[in-house]
Amino acid sequence: MIVSDAARRRSIRVNVGGVLIGGDAPIVVQSMTNTDTADVDATVRQIKALTDAGSELVRITVNNVAAAQAVAPIRERLDRSGCHVPLVGDFHFNGHRLLREHAACAAALAKYRINPGNVGRGARRDVQFCEIVELACRHGKPVRIGVNWGSLDQELLAQMLDDNARSATPAPVAQIQRDAVVASALRSAAMAQEIGLPDDHIILSCKMSRVQDLIVVYGELASRCEYALHLGLTEAGMGSKGIVASTAALAVLLQQGIGDTIRISLTPEPQGDRTQEVLVAQEILQTMGFRSFTPMVTACPGCGRTSSTFFQSLAQDIQTHLREKMPYWRSQYPGVENMTVAVMGCVVNGPGESKHADIGISLPGTGERPVAPVYVDGDKTVTLKGADIAAQFERIVDDYVAARFGDPACYDKRSSRVPGAGTTRLDQQIPVRGQS
């Protein structure tokens, strides 16, 4: 397992349907569906896709009676298919009523998410907030109190702005807005505990849409409580903008030891793949050294020595191959997520990088001999040739995974073979084209 040097902030551990968040538990990756929850078939399909991609919690919208009535059937369908990912219900204005009137929904969810800024209006806000918390206590469910700067409690903000205006040295309005987000989360958590929700059933989040605001807000929140914290940049955006903004914000906080679970809120392309947000979350944690999810592919960026795009295609194919295999490998080959694979494009760094990886291939660059040496555990084992190098290398990777992670105690690293299974070597399993 990869271990980061960053010291984790002390937080209270929360059990969400068997997934531990906070304390000394690994940082958890979660995601959210964008289907109509009332459409059971579509929602189940997307939950399973997100789970296969590696999401450890999945949040679903529960915004009306039809959605509330669909939650229990969704849970049943998932369980029958062997998908036991905990479901989180996202509630807003009418959450108190939906949870009260649909007990099966309340029971099927592993956690409730509520926003104190839009759980109710005026005098009803605290009453409806308290009712949801009471229902969470009754069903034994944890709650994420998720403050969002775009739907901040306006009464609290107005009070804090008035107090600031009367101050002899008023702070900038932007600072008061950030302070109000933190105050809303802490005030709501204190109220929940007064009602009877234990501190190990509370997770807090304070979502902002600007990177620097998010860093400041979570730094303050982390210093003032020990609740488990959910990180995420809200309204991060689409494509590279959303990925870069989320990574910039979360990387700083994670390196400071702040954050117990993360979600990357990407706007998908029309008909786009929702699982991208899961992959980005995993890659942030894995590249920073906090967790391992899937074998890492090292690939050079390319230059004038690699005018052929073959190595780019192979790197992409191998990365796709590894991710497609992971749902099966995860259950059959413990530790495979720590494997490293190198796909290099020429002889400059190719052999060296390939030797440093668990398994690597050094492809020929422009003007180089049309051969591709493969290195396993630092040793050259075979040289591939021909038009089907990609398929050959994928088979080598598959065989390596089965040999090394299928029975690690029997794996002989020095000879890249399994003792007791004859003298078969990887270079004999997949002969070089043109050789007998």
Side-chain angles (χ1 to χ4, degrees):
M1 177 180 291
I2 295 178
V3 178
S4 171
D5 293 332
R8 288 280 298 278
R9 159 187 170 269
R10 174 184 172 85
S11 63
I12 300 166
R13 191 172 67 179
V14 181
N15 188 328
V16 181
V19 174
L20 301 180
I21 296 176
D24 58 358
I27 299 168
V28 170
V29 171
Q30 60 178 284
S31 57
M32 185 176 184
T33 59
N34 61 356
T35 57
D36 178 357
T37 306
D39 185 340
V40 174
D41 290 341
T43 303
V44 166
R45 280 196 303 272
Q46 192 171 83
I47 291 170
K48 291 176 71 173
L50 291 167
T51 304
D52 285 345
S55 187
E56 294 158 302
L57 297 175
V58 177
R59 181 158 45 115
I60 59 177
T61 298
V62 188
N63 59 332
N64 53 40
V65 170
Q69 290 175 336
V71 171
I74 289 170
R75 178 73 274 166
E76 292 168 6
R77 287 267 298 274
L78 290 169
D79 288 340
R80 285 201 305 270
S81 69
C83 179
H84 303 295
V85 65
L87 299 180
V88 180
D90 196 57
F91 296 96
H92 292 284
F93 309 100
N94 57 355
H96 62 293
R97 186 172 67 252
L98 294 174
L99 285 168
R100 182 181 69 237
E101 296 176 358
H102 301 276
C105 167
L109 294 169
K111 183 177 72 173
Y112 309 154
R113 186 268 181 171
I114 54 177
N115 181 345
N118 61 22
V119 75
R121 301 296 186 195
R124 297 296 303 167
R125 183 189 62 244
D126 288 353
V127 172
Q128 293 172 184
F129 176 88
C130 291
E131 184 173 357
I132 293 177
V133 172
E134 288 169 353
L135 286 161
C137 293
R138 184 183 309 168
H139 289 279
K141 307 294 184 178
V143 173
R144 171 159 73 95
I145 298 171
V147 179
N148 188 303
W149 81 284
S151 54
L152 183 59
D153 181 345
Q154 293 303 300
E155 292 181 19
L156 174 62
L157 177 60
Q159 177 187 331
M160 293 181 67
L161 288 171
D162 289 344
D163 292 343
N164 182 61
R166 289 191 291 269
S167 171
T169 56
V173 171
Q175 179 180 325
I176 301 304
Q177 291 175 326
R178 291 193 294 265
D179 291 346
V181 170
V182 176
S184 177
L186 295 176
R187 170 187 166 185
S188 299
M191 187 184 305
Q193 285 201 249
E194 289 174 6
I195 296 167
L197 191 67
D199 57 4
D200 64 355
H201 279 56
I202 296 174
I203 297 173
L204 297 185
S205 67
C206 289
K207 297 290 188 75
M208 312 292 285
S209 62
R210 292 191 290 263
V211 170
Q212 297 297 342
D213 286 341
L214 192 82
I215 293 170
V216 171
V217 162
Y218 271 95
E220 179 68 15
L221 183 64
S223 71
R224 294 177 58 182
C225 72
E226 291 188 348
Y227 298 113
L229 299 182
H230 167 119
L231 298 189
L233 186 75
T234 192
E235 293 113 26
M238 181 180 287
S240 61
K241 185 270 180 184
I243 294 171
V244 170
S246 294
T247 303
L250 268 59
V252 172
L253 293 168
L254 291 168
Q255 192 61 30
Q256 294 174 356
I258 298 171
D260 301 295
T261 178
I262 66 172
R263 188 234 168 165
I264 306 301
S265 301
L266 297 180
T267 303
E269 301 285 345
Q271 307 303 315
D273 189 349
R274 190 68 165 178
T275 61
Q276 184 185 24
E277 65 177 47
V278 179
L279 304 184
V280 173
Q282 291 179 331
E283 287 167 357
I284 290 173
L285 293 178
Q286 186 152 348
T287 55
M288 291 190 71
F290 290 103
R291 291 187 65 183
S292 294
F293 296 94
T294 193
M296 290 288 284
V297 176
T298 301
C300 64
C303 65
R305 298 178 63 91
T306 57
S307 57
S308 167
T309 60
F310 180 75
F311 90 94
Q312 300 167 14
S313 298
L314 180 58
Q316 184 178 51
D317 291 346
I318 287 296
Q319 188 157 285
T320 299
H321 179 74
L322 296 175
R323 288 202 174 275
E324 289 176 347
K325 288 282 189 175
M326 275 307 293
Y328 172 74
W329 283 353
R330 193 179 293 121
S331 64
Q332 298 297 316
Y333 302 124
V336 68
E337 67 275 4
N338 297 306
M339 182 175 73
T340 56
V341 179
V343 179
M344 305 303 293
C346 74
V347 298
V348 175
N349 293 317
E353 291 284 357
S354 296
K355 289 178 183 178
H356 287 306
D358 292 309
I359 184 167
I361 185 170
S362 180
L363 297 166
T366 304
E368 295 175 6
R369 291 177 59 227
V371 296
V374 174
Y375 297 83
V376 176
D377 294 326
D379 296 326
K380 180 180 174 181
T381 61
V382 63
T383 299
L384 304 182
K385 300 177 182 178
D388 61 341
I389 285 178
Q392 293 181 57
F393 186 60
E394 285 182 4
R395 291 198 297 273
I396 292 175
V397 171
D398 290 350
D399 289 340
Y400 177 79
V401 168
R404 177 174 176 183
F405 299 99
D407 190 354
C410 294
Y411 180 68
D412 187 345
K413 199 172 197 177
R414 292 167 302 174
S415 65
S416 301
R417 64 184 177 86
V418 181
T423 59
T424 302
R425 294 176 56 88
L426 290 174
D427 55 349
Q428 294 174 325
Q429 292 172 3
I430 303 177
V432 175
R433 174 169 292 218
Q435 293 183 355
S436 58

